[in-house]
Amino acid sequence: MNKVIFDWNKYINLSRAAGAEGIVMLENRDNVLPLDNDKSIAVFGRAQLNYYKCGMGSGGMVNVSKVYNILDGLRERTDIKINEELLKIYEEWVEANPFNEGEGWGTEPWSQIEMEIDEETVNNAAKVSDVAMVIIGRTAGEDKDFTDSKEAFRLSDIEEDMMTKVRKAFKKVIVLLNIGSLTNMDFIDTYNPDAVMIVWQGGMVGGLGTADVISGKV
């Protein structure tokens, strides 16, 4: 029997490209995207660290060596400046409020509890960052159909509050939807973001592909 050796980098690169090419741009006023090299970005939302690679069910239980989130992708780009002070706040909060995987089949919530953020933190970020990026994450799948409710089809109260404060403080706001199903889009009329992209759930390297689009590489 012939020995077959897989070149895993080949498949990883193909997956990254597919994830990037599948992203849908819904809004991009004044060409806020792709980000200019001299722009700094403040990233809001725990989904920057807790990326949904896929939905729930048998496919969602496939083990991978690592899930590369959107922040990993942004950090890989040396031409993108991230607000590290804000990131540290999120990292500490996520460590104290770990991802809830549920207990048993189909018990994972549609979304994870979001960090409540105060105006001072948002305003401080706006003083040193040119653009805000808000990332919203949702899952659904086998034995866990979406419902028309907050934290699922609709934004949670904490997410609404975050969007309100970010939109008030920043001149440029980008919203990324890390989702795999329908979601309510009323927030576009309510908060008038400058750019909106559905980045879907791009697999283990989906966060890298997302950053490729944000930077203009793709």
Side-chain angles (χ1 to χ4, degrees), residues 105-118:
W105 180 269
T107 61
E108 179 184 324
W110 290 290
S111 63
Q112 299 294 310
I113 297 174
E114 186 57 78
M115 183 183 81
E116 294 189 47
I117 195 158
D118 57 75

Side-chain angles (χ1 to χ4, degrees), residues 5-198:
I5 299 177
F6 288 101
D7 181 357
W8 292 114
N9 288 330
K10 176 182 177 180
Y11 296 101
I12 288 173
N13 292 336
L14 179 61
S15 178
R16 178 173 182 164
E21 292 176 16
I23 288 174
V24 178
M25 177 86 75
L26 299 180
E27 186 74 70
N28 191 27
R29 292 190 286 109
D30 298 325
N31 294 318
V32 65
L33 287 173
L35 290 180
D36 295 332
N37 292 349
D38 60 342
K39 300 297 183 184
S40 58
I41 183 171
V43 187
F44 296 86
R46 74 174 296 158
Q48 63 182 294
L49 297 164
N50 296 140
Y51 177 78
Y52 284 114
K53 75 180 190 303
C54 61
M56 291 185 292
S58 299
M61 298 184 72
V62 172
N63 293 320
V64 296
S65 57
K66 174 179 171 60
V67 176
Y68 293 85
N69 56 48
I70 294 173
L71 182 66
D72 291 325
L74 293 175
R75 278 180 158 168
E76 185 184 87
R77 307 291 307 182
T78 57
D79 51 347
I80 294 178
K81 304 172 186 176
I82 300 170
N83 186 314
E84 295 290 342
E85 183 176 348
L86 177 62
L87 171 58
K88 184 178 180 181
I89 293 173
Y90 272 100
E91 287 178 330
E92 292 177 351
W93 187 87
V94 168
E95 183 177 1
N97 298 269
F99 192 94
N100 177 13
E101 298 181 350
E103 297 182 5
W105 180 269
T107 61
E108 179 184 324
W110 290 290
S111 63
Q112 299 294 310
I113 297 174
E114 186 57 78
M115 183 183 81
E116 294 189 47
I117 195 158
D118 57 75
E119 284 192 11
E120 182 180 3
T121 299
V122 177
N123 291 337
N124 287 340
K127 291 176 182 177
V128 296
S129 304
D130 301 297
V131 181
M133 179 175 290
V134 179
I135 306 177
I136 303 295
R138 291 290 188 276
T139 191
E142 190 175 0
D143 280 347
K144 193 71 173 182
D145 290 336
F146 243 15
T147 61
D148 185 7
S149 59
K150 295 179 180 180
E151 291 91 33
F153 181 68
R154 302 180 184 279
L155 296 181
S156 69
D157 290 338
I158 295 177
E159 288 170 335
E160 295 270 12
D161 182 66
M162 174 175 60
M163 294 278 273
T164 298
K165 291 171 179 173
V166 170
R167 177 72 279 184
K168 180 180 178 182
F170 283 82
K171 293 182 179 180
K172 298 292 184 181
V173 177
I174 299 165
V175 176
L176 304 184
L177 300 173
N178 174 207
I179 61 176
S181 57
L182 297 174
T183 192
N184 185 279
M185 306 299 290
D186 286 351
F187 72 86
I188 295 180
D189 292 329
T190 303
Y191 303 108
N192 199 29
D194 301 276
V196 181
M197 290 199 305
I198 302 179

